[in-house]
Amino acid sequence: GVRGMSPNRSAHLSMRQNGHPIAADPLGYPESYYTPPLTMVQEVQWVSGASALQYGSQLGGMLNFVMRPVLVGGKTSARWTTSLTSYAPRKGAYRGHGHVFAEATGGGETAGFLVAVDHKSGSGWRDNASFGSTTATLAFQERKEGQSGVWTMDQRLTLLRRTEQQSGGLTDIQFDNDPRRSDRSRNWFDVIWNIASSDVAWVPRRGDVDVKIATYALKASRKSLGFLGTPNRVDFGEERDLIWGDFASVGWDARVTKRWIQKEDERLSALVLGTQGYLGQNRMRQGTGAPGSGAEFAFDASNVAREESDFLFPNTQWTAFVQGIWSFAPQWSITPGVRWERIGTYAEGTYREVIFDGAGNVVEDSLFESESTKRRQIFLPGLGVSWKRPSGEWYANAVRNFRAVNFSDIQINNLGVVVDSLISDERGANFDLGFRTSGEAWTLDASVFVLLYQDRIGLLATTIDDPILVEKPVLLRTNLSDACTAGIECSASRRFLMENGMSTTLTGAASWMRSRYAEGGLPAIEGNEVELVPRTVLRLSVFHQTALWDFQVLAQHVGDQYTEATNSNYTPTALHGLIPHYRVLDLGVQRRWAGGKWALGVKVNNATNARYFTRRALAYPGPGILPADGINARLTLRYIPL
């Protein structure tokens, strides 16, 4: 979660790999069931403020995984990593999983390739938690230099295949008694993710202009199969619920960048003009799955009385943006930006509702057809200011943001969750003011921010009319109210050099946030805390390095947070309630030899065996409390050519 926005989905972030969107549908279904293994990642970028307008309209900005590059003009090389993670035995049985990663890259003077495979399989910390996951990537790069300038062409194909057994959720009492417990042995999840991209960049010989055209295509699916009863209900082995989503999309990003340099003091100004487009064709189905216990992802057509839905969601997005930086004085610069979006979201399909009486007999069986079209044009301005002083840089940002309603919120049924038929898009604005500075061995960045929501979408514990129960308790997903989150953020690092080449690096990050729902919205939540916003977050890393050894300590504290707008502390089903504060300590040691090419390391995660959780799931992979892993150790052998 960024600045108190929901961590359960990437709905408030533009999730990207090498600048290309990787979510199922950036508008209607922004979940990223795929994120690249960190063994394949060179760095992670987060861009916020006015500069993020060129990447999307999300309130949280852009999170980009920069993949390891293709080596052009270098010799062929390879690297690999293998590891084994072990948990404490469970009922006398071994629990753990293995991990293998291999990469090869090389090429000639003008072209190169990279191929990498990452595979994990085994069992998790809890019961009923087996899994297998394989990610593969293949990349090519070609570079040509001629009279017109330098051309660079990049192509990459990434594939993910993952099937996992899901342990299900727990009630608060079950979690307190045994967090490794699982009463769900028939819940499964399957993900297929295929992403292809092709980029062309041209830099003329004059050097102050560059042109880039990036295209991508995504073909993916996710399947959830299991018994979705609350954790205080028994699974009698009957039919299971199946949600099947298929996603297909293509998109492009074309931009031209012009730079100016003031020769007298080398001040830089730049202007980016760009256009982006997105076409998506998505299908979401929900119905009764097979009554068995394995990973048989198929609908059960023999069940006559069942609720089901089958919807198509074609989406379109056309975007134009202007982003600039103007150094109008030796120590001053502004970063203005404007983004215009034309969005079309469509839904067409059928859904079936079946009502039973108290004895399990069918009272009503209805099939409905639904079709909706929604078009809107969004205009988002933003402005950033920077003032550089000898002691550091002061900066400020103000930017408007927008988040579309997800189509999964409209037609996919979650346990106990009812969607308001009048739910609408969410808007907001980000403001921040900060100071950053750095020296030869240290960095510091501190800021204050205010995040404003208009018509914030969230969950409200309430009741609705029901033909059988008269008043049925539900979680209502609706536009709750306007809201505000204000906070302080700080990150710092300091490196201490010692004799004999030893060094110690301290890295820390801290935030304090206060969030409240505004007056004028739903009376039941006025003045309440916004859900999933911990008051305090503290993280600290101590890394000590010698000529042959590495030692690291990682510690974190995350404060209390609520999961829905009424700020309830406890419910018998555990679908909502308080997420208590938690503290986690990780320890690591590594031995290097052969000039650093080889390394053998041991990592102990959750060294104090803290009992904690970070999420109360409403449906898959729960519902209920999803416990975090207890103490575990990982042994890793790594080879990296220098």
Side-chain angles (χ1 to χ4, degrees):
V2 178
R3 291 183 173 176
M5 288 178 279
S6 173
N8 291 344
R9 296 183 176 184
S10 55
H12 293 108
L13 287 168
S14 176
M15 299 289 288
R16 298 183 175 230
Q17 174 180 288
N18 281 1
H20 306 102
I22 59 176
D25 184 304
L27 288 174
Y29 198 70
E31 293 203 28
S32 297
Y33 293 104
Y34 159 79
T35 51
L38 290 184
T39 49
M40 297 182 178
V41 175
Q42 183 181 42
E43 66 178 13
V44 181
Q45 301 172 336
W46 177 49
V47 180
S48 64
S51 299
L53 282 176
Q54 59 185 296
Y55 302 107
S57 54
Q58 288 79 2
L59 279 80
M62 186 271 291
L63 189 70
N64 185 34
F65 295 94
V66 180
M67 306 295 280
R68 283 177 53 82
V70 175
L71 296 180
V72 177
K75 62 181 181 179
T76 301
S77 65
R79 65 187 186 104
W80 58 267
T81 299
T82 182
S83 68
L84 179 67
T85 300
S86 295
Y87 302 99
R90 175 71 168 167
K91 299 177 181 178
Y94 169 79
R95 292 294 172 85
H97 53 266
H99 171 220
V100 177
F101 167 77
E103 176 192 274
T105 183
E109 293 298 323
T110 61
F113 73 92
L114 180 146
V115 59
V117 178
D118 186 283
H119 175 75
K120 304 179 182 73
S121 62
S123 61
W125 180 65
R126 298 179 62 200
D127 297 336
N128 303 317
S130 60
F131 71 96
S133 177
T134 301
T135 304
T137 187
L138 178 63
F140 295 94
Q141 184 182 103
E142 185 176 6
R143 187 175 183 273
K144 294 183 178 181
E145 185 171 356
Q147 294 183 352
S148 61
V150 178
W151 292 83
T152 305
M153 288 152 280
D154 290 280
Q155 292 84 36
R156 184 179 291 266
L157 175 65
T158 303
L159 311 174
L160 167 67
R161 302 292 184 270
R162 180 179 178 90
T163 302
E164 65 182 45
Q165 187 181 24
Q166 297 185 323
S167 304
L170 301 176
T171 65
D172 291 77
I173 295 175
Q174 291 171 341
F175 173 80
D176 291 337
N177 291 335
D178 181 10
R180 300 185 74 173
R181 167 182 177 171
S182 170
D183 298 320
R184 301 289 184 260
S185 62
R186 306 189 306 134
N187 289 13
W188 294 87
F189 192 70
D190 183 81
V191 174
I192 297 175
W193 225 254
N194 307 306
I195 304 173
S197 62
S198 179
D199 301 345
V200 178
W202 173 54
V203 180
R205 285 195 169 275
R206 55 190 289 182
D208 59 348
V209 176
D210 61 72
V211 180
K212 184 175 182 180
I213 301 175
T215 59
Y216 81 97
L218 182 145
K219 180 72 173 177
S221 71
R222 53 88 75 195
K223 309 179 191 74
S224 303
L225 174 67
F227 173 68
L228 284 187
T230 55
N232 56 357
R233 292 178 56 193
V234 177
D235 179 6
F236 291 105
E238 299 175 349
E239 68 272 0
R240 294 176 288 178
D241 193 75
L242 175 61
I243 300 177
W244 188 322
D246 292 304
F247 315 102
S249 61
V250 294
W252 67 90
D253 182 322
R255 59 182 62 203
V256 179
T257 304
K258 175 69 170 72
R259 291 175 294 275
W260 296 269
I261 297 179
Q262 300 264 357
K263 293 184 178 180
E264 60 272 14
D265 52 13
E266 297 186 350
R267 278 186 284 138
L268 173 67
S269 298
L271 182 67
V272 181
L273 303 175
T275 180
Q276 297 164 351
Y278 168 83
L279 300 173
Q281 181 72 23
N282 309 287
R283 184 185 184 189
M284 295 291 285
R285 291 175 286 169
Q286 183 174 9
T288 303
S293 59
E296 300 95 9
F297 298 96
F299 289 100
D300 183 8
S302 63
N303 192 330
V304 177
R306 67 188 191 276
E307 291 191 351
E308 60 184 18
S309 65
D310 189 347
F311 273 80
L312 293 176
F313 296 96
N315 288 337
T316 62
Q317 182 182 25
W318 308 93
T319 302
F321 64 88
V322 179
Q323 188 80 56
I325 179 171
W326 177 33
S327 298
F328 61 90
Q331 297 175 333
W332 288 87
S333 65
I334 60 173
T335 307
V338 175
R339 183 178 183 87
W340 170 83
E341 294 187 357
R342 182 179 181 183
I343 299 172
T345 54
Y346 313 91
E348 180 181 4
T350 60
Y351 64 96
R352 185 180 186 181
E353 288 187 355
V354 182
I355 299 176
F356 299 89
D357 61 16
N361 301 311
V362 176
V363 176
E364 183 178 341
D365 186 349
S366 304
L367 183 67
F368 301 92
E369 293 186 357
S370 177
E371 182 176 351
S372 64
T373 299
K374 188 173 184 179
R375 298 184 179 91
R376 59 273 208 201
Q377 297 191 46
I378 309 299
F379 182 77
L380 302 173
L383 179 65
V385 180
S386 171
W387 180 37
K388 294 182 179 180
R389 304 289 296 165
S391 58
E393 177 187 7
W394 290 90
Y395 60 88
N397 287 279
V399 59
R400 291 283 298 179
N401 301 105
F402 165 85
R403 179 205 172 218
V405 172
N406 297 348
F407 56 69
S408 62
D409 293 333
I410 300 173
Q411 296 297 345
I412 296 298
N413 294 324
N414 283 334
L415 180 68
V417 177
V418 176
V419 178
D420 184 351
S421 61
L422 301 178
I423 194 170
S424 61
D425 298 327
E426 181 179 280
R427 298 173 184 267
N430 265 293
F431 304 90
D432 62 52
L433 172 65
F435 175 78
R436 53 182 165 234
T437 183
S438 62
E440 186 175 347
W442 59 277
T443 64
L444 173 66
D445 192 330
S447 64
V448 295
F449 72 89
V450 176
L451 173 61
L452 301 178
Y453 292 98
Q454 291 176 282
D455 297 325
R456 176 180 165 83
I457 297 173
L459 294 171
L460 179 70
T462 184
T463 59
I464 62 172
D465 295 335
D466 185 86
I468 305 300
L469 302 176
V470 183
E471 290 290 331
K472 180 181 178 181
V474 298
L475 285 172
L476 179 66
R477 187 164 182 83
T478 185
N479 297 100
L480 297 172
S481 172
D482 293 348
C484 174
T485 299
I488 301 172
E489 299 174 319
C490 180
S491 63
S493 66
R494 179 70 165 91
R495 187 166 183 253
F496 300 91
L497 296 177
M498 306 174 188
E499 297 180 356
N500 302 323
M502 294 190 299
S503 66
T504 299
T505 302
L506 303 179
T507 304
S511 69
W512 177 88
M513 292 181 287
R514 183 184 185 276
S515 61
R516 289 292 185 272
Y517 280 103
E519 298 181 358
L522 297 176
I525 65 171
E526 282 189 5
N528 284 6
E529 293 188 24
V530 176
E531 58 271 28
L532 301 172
V533 182
R535 180 68 63 89
T536 56
V537 178
L538 302 172
R539 294 188 172 97
L540 176 67
S541 164
V542 181
F543 180 69
H544 179 70
Q545 188 174 47
T546 70
L548 300 176
W549 291 88
D550 300 327
F551 303 90
Q552 189 169 27
V553 178
L554 298 166
Q556 67 170 320
H557 162 86
V558 179
D560 296 345
Q561 52 190 297
Y562 294 104
T563 55
E564 52 80 47
T566 64
N567 291 179
S568 58
N569 286 293
Y570 170 82
T571 54
T573 62
L575 295 185
H576 53 95
L578 184 71
I579 296 179
H581 69 272
Y582 57 89
R583 298 181 178 93
V584 184
L585 178 69
D586 302 331
L587 307 173
V589 59
Q590 177 177 265
R591 172 67 159 84
R592 291 171 279 108
W593 71 93
K597 292 182 179 180
W598 290 88
L600 180 66
V602 176
K603 179 81 176 293
V604 179
N605 295 297
N606 194 0
T608 61
N609 201 27
R611 287 190 177 189
Y612 71 102
F613 62 93
T614 64
R615 184 177 180 187
R616 294 179 182 265
L618 300 176
Y620 291 103
I625 290 173
L626 302 181
D629 285 356
I631 185 172
N632 61 90
R634 181 170 68 245
L635 178 67
T636 301
L637 178 64
R638 187 179 72 227
Y639 171 75
I640 300 178
L642 300 179

